[in-house]
């Protein structure tokens, strides 16, 4: 059965409140605008599990697409977030799916280990290559253009997300 990959943050999870909060503490408008000397402080704030528990929400639209795609495909969650935050977010997704009476199936979960400094695109490419050994990966849903472009090199359809909606055709 073919595999479809979903990212968590920016696709299935709305973490914009947590991101904006962490940026406001640092005094930056975007991650790229964070001064080098403030980056580690930003990541400590942003990657706080308690903050994620207070601020992160499930993207119901993304959840509906996950439910539709999981009918005829195996689903892999591949996220650059930490294991503890990602595990919490997966619990949120399962709970919300139940509330909405949506059937979902998640066959694989890959979260970056705590303390990993590996770039998201490198981590996700490594996982994509492993999944291609398992079966045909037919689609990837991500909010980072670099990851969507990387997937295309492997013949995988990339669906780019912005503002919790796909901007590429489904």
């Amino acid at each position: 059965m073919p595999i479809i990959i979903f990212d968590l943050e920016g696709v299935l999870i709305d973490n914009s409140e947590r991101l904006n909060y962490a940026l406001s503490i640092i005094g930056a408008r975007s991650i790229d605008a964070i001064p080098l000397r403030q980056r580690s402080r930003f990541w400590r704030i942003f990657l706080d599990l308690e903050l994620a528990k207070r601020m992160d929400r499930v993207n119901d639209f993304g959840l509906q697409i996950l439910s539709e795609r999981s009918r005829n495909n195996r689903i892999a969650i591949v996220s650059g977030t930490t294991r503890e935050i990602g595990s919490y977010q997966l619990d949120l997704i399962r709970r919300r799916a139940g509330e909405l009476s949506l059937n979902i199936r998640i066959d694989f979960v890959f979260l970056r280990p705590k303390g990993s400094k590996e770039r998201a695109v490198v981590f996700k490419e490594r996982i994509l290559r492993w999944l291609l050994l398992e079966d045909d990966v037919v689609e990837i849903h991500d909010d980072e253009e670099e990851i969507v472009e990387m997937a295309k090199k492997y013949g995988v359809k990339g669906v780019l997300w912005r503002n919790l909606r796909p901007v590429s055709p489904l």
Side-chain angles (χ1 to χ4, degrees):
M1 190 182 296
I3 301 170
I4 295 180
I5 298 172
F6 281 86
D7 186 17
L8 285 174
E9 297 177 340
V11 177
L12 298 175
I13 295 290
D14 179 357
N15 68 333
S16 59
E17 186 179 358
R18 178 167 47 104
L19 174 64
N20 290 332
Y21 175 80
L23 287 170
S24 72
I25 297 241
I26 300 300
R29 295 183 146 224
S30 69
I31 292 175
D32 294 335
I34 300 170
L36 214 47
R37 66 186 187 287
Q38 292 278 358
R39 288 196 180 218
S40 63
R41 180 173 178 230
F42 166 80
W43 289 113
R44 270 194 314 278
I45 296 165
F46 180 69
L47 295 175
D48 180 74
L49 177 61
E50 294 309 312
L51 200 59
K53 286 180 177 180
R54 285 198 319 266
M55 297 182 172
D56 289 3
R57 303 286 174 261
V58 175
N59 175 14
D60 288 350
F61 183 76
L63 188 58
Q64 290 172 346
I65 292 172
L66 172 68
S67 177
E68 291 168 15
R69 294 297 198 269
S70 68
R71 287 183 200 137
N72 300 314
N73 303 279
R74 290 191 293 168
I75 301 297
I77 301 295
V78 182
S79 177
T81 195
T82 65
R83 287 181 196 260
E84 60 183 6
I85 290 175
S87 295
Y88 167 73
Q89 291 170 338
L90 287 166
D91 288 343
L92 270 183
I93 287 167
R94 289 182 181 105
R95 205 170 332 137
R96 184 69 179 149
E99 291 168 0
L100 297 174
S101 300
L102 292 173
N103 291 318
I104 63 167
R105 190 185 66 253
I106 298 172
D107 301 285
F108 305 96
V109 175
F110 300 94
L111 304 169
R112 250 193 305 199
K114 189 172 182 149
S116 170
K117 303 246 190 254
E118 186 176 40
R119 289 185 59 233
V121 70
V122 173
F123 170 73
K124 290 181 178 186
E125 183 173 16
R126 184 167 42 83
I127 300 305
L128 173 60
R129 291 175 62 180
W130 184 84
L131 287 169
L132 285 165
L133 296 173
E134 285 289 308
D135 205 335
D136 191 23
V137 177
V138 295
E139 206 170 84
I140 185 167
H141 294 253
D142 206 290
D143 64 332
E144 288 187 47
E145 194 167 345
E146 185 179 13
I147 289 162
V148 168
E149 291 303 313
M150 172 274 298
K152 289 179 183 177
K153 292 187 320 188
Y154 294 92
V156 175
K157 176 184 175 187
V159 179
L160 181 64
W161 288 64
R162 290 281 180 259
N163 299 315
L164 301 167
R165 293 287 187 270
V167 293
S168 307
L170 292 170

